[in-house]
Amino acid sequence: MTLTSILSKTKQFFSGLTKNQLLGSLMKLQKDFKNLAACYETLKQENAELKAQLQKNKIENVNKAANKPSSKQAEWEDKQTPASATTDPKKRSRKRKYRKGAGNKAKSHEPEKIEIAKVDACSVCGKSLKNKAPLSTNNERIIEDIPEPPEETALVKVIQEKKYCNTCQQVNTAKSMRALPGADMGLNATVLMCYLWVVLCLPFTKVKVPPAEPEAY
């Protein structure tokens, strides 16, 4: 059925109705339109609420996934797997393989000084062991350290030679490697001060050398 035939049939139907019947049909159509408009507004509001709830649930799921702790075990935790926790001695005998080069390196040179750490008293009961002969076995440790800093600094006078160059017509002055240019503090003292101040973060009052006390006469 074409649109022209539909419109023709509709016109023919309404032309056969009386005035009261047409008025009743229009009122019914108006009432149905109002009902449909109300339903449309209700569905539109429900659709907006569902979209808002869906977006809220999506954000909550993302936050839960982001705040969920990782299943990866931290390196400092005891990595005890079910296989290692079993009572089977064959499975428990497996040991962790350490990476190559781990641990303290052996010293490549011989010690310059040998010291003996003596046992003077028992570490448990405090009994004196000075007169007791030591056992035939002992433990050895190789300790590498730097010498203690001297109580007084060394005052060095550097005489810088000067020579004249006939080609450049300039006077050349020798430079000393004991200190930075224009400084009266040696390199060793400068490096130590920077280490204490910058690396160890000591205050200046702890870094500077206290003034010497006057001698009593």
Side-chain angles (χ1 to χ4, degrees):
M1 183 177 292
T2 61
L3 180 59
T4 304
S5 60
I6 293 174
L7 293 176
S8 177
K9 292 290 185 182
T10 304
K11 182 179 179 182
Q12 184 179 1
F13 172 75
F14 282 108
S15 61
L17 297 177
T18 61
K19 185 178 180 180
N20 293 331
Q21 289 176 343
L22 287 173
L23 184 59
S25 299
L26 290 174
M27 293 179 66
K28 185 176 181 303
L29 290 173
Q30 186 178 9
K31 184 178 180 180
D32 293 340
F33 175 78
K34 289 182 179 180
N35 294 334
L36 291 175
C39 292
Y40 171 75
E41 292 296 333
T42 303
L43 293 175
K44 184 178 179 180
Q45 185 178 359
E46 291 179 357
N47 188 25
E49 293 177 357
L50 290 175
K51 285 185 177 181
Q53 185 66 29
L54 181 62
Q55 183 68 16
K56 182 179 179 181
N57 294 339
K58 185 177 180 181
I59 294 175
E60 290 179 356
N61 293 335
V62 171
N63 293 335
K64 288 181 180 179
N67 297 329
K68 184 178 180 181
S70 175
S71 59
K72 184 179 179 181
Q73 196 171 13
E75 296 180 357
W76 58 81
E77 293 182 359
D78 185 13
K79 298 182 178 180
Q80 186 177 9
T81 59
S84 61
T86 181
T87 56
D88 191 353
K90 293 183 179 180
K91 293 184 178 180
R92 288 191 294 106
S93 62
R94 288 190 238 168
K95 295 183 179 179
R96 179 183 175 186
K97 295 182 179 180
Y98 293 91
R99 63 180 178 84
K100 185 178 180 181
N104 297 330
K105 296 182 180 180
K107 305 301 179 182
S108 58
H109 52 275
E110 294 295 327
E112 301 174 357
K113 185 179 180 181
I114 298 178
E115 294 182 356
I116 299 177
K118 297 183 178 181
V119 179
D120 294 333
C122 178
S123 59
V124 180
C125 64
K127 179 182 178 180
S128 177
L129 301 176
K130 292 182 178 180
N131 299 327
K132 193 174 182 63
L135 301 178
S136 59
T137 60
N138 53 52
N139 296 342
E140 293 183 356
R141 293 177 60 189
I142 302 296
I143 301 175
E144 189 170 2
D145 201 355
I146 60 175
E148 296 181 0
E151 295 182 358
E152 296 182 357
T153 58
L155 191 62
V156 180
K157 181 178 181 179
V158 179
I159 300 176
Q160 298 173 272
E161 290 184 347
K162 292 184 177 181
K163 293 185 178 180
Y164 179 77
C165 177
N166 295 328
T167 304
C168 303
Q169 297 182 359
Q170 295 289 336
V171 176
N172 295 271
T173 305
K175 298 179 181 180
S176 176
M177 303 301 296
R178 287 182 172 271
L180 297 174
D184 57 356
M185 183 182 295
L187 289 179
N188 296 334
T190 303
V191 171
L192 178 60
M193 184 186 68
C194 293
Y195 178 79
L196 296 175
W197 188 17
V198 179
V199 179
L200 299 184
C201 299
L202 293 180
F204 184 71
T205 55
K206 298 293 184 181
V207 175
K208 71 175 182 179
V209 179
E213 297 181 358
E215 297 181 357
Y217 293 97

